Amino acid sequence: KQAATVVDDCLAEGLIVLTAKDKIRLLPPLTISETELKTGLENLLNVLNQPNKEWKYEAFTEINRFINR
């Protein structure tokens, strides 16, 4: 259920993601620019950091490291 909620929230942010059972999947095109990738990851972090959500993601550190490099 949580993965489906993330998908819905990402779609509201303009980011299309897929589910794989209880996980989310990102499938960017091979031609994605670094700017587009960073924007998409920022949108994903906005969704995952919503204060009313009860999940915990270990990928925050890696995503933030990529965005801020």
Side-chain angles (χ1 to χ4, degrees):
K1 180 180 176 189
Q2 289 181 350
T5 302
V6 172
V7 169
D8 292 341
D9 292 347
C10 283
L11 192 55
E13 290 281 327
L15 180 64
I16 299 173
V17 297
L18 304 172
T19 58
K21 297 191 181 183
D22 62 343
K23 298 183 175 31
I24 58 169
R25 294 177 54 202
L26 305 176
L27 296 171
L30 295 176
T31 58
I32 192 168
S33 69
E34 188 169 336
T35 301
E36 291 169 324
L37 183 58
K38 286 182 178 184
T39 300
L41 290 174
E42 287 169 353
N43 289 347
L44 178 60
L45 282 177
N46 288 339
V47 167
L48 299 179
N49 283 323
Q50 292 175 2
N52 59 338
K53 304 300 179 187
E54 298 177 1
W55 50 67
K56 183 178 180 181
Y57 288 94
E58 297 172 1
F60 286 158
T61 304
E62 292 301 318
I63 293 172
N64 278 317
R65 186 178 302 147
F66 178 81
I67 291 172
N68 294 315
R69 67 180 182 142

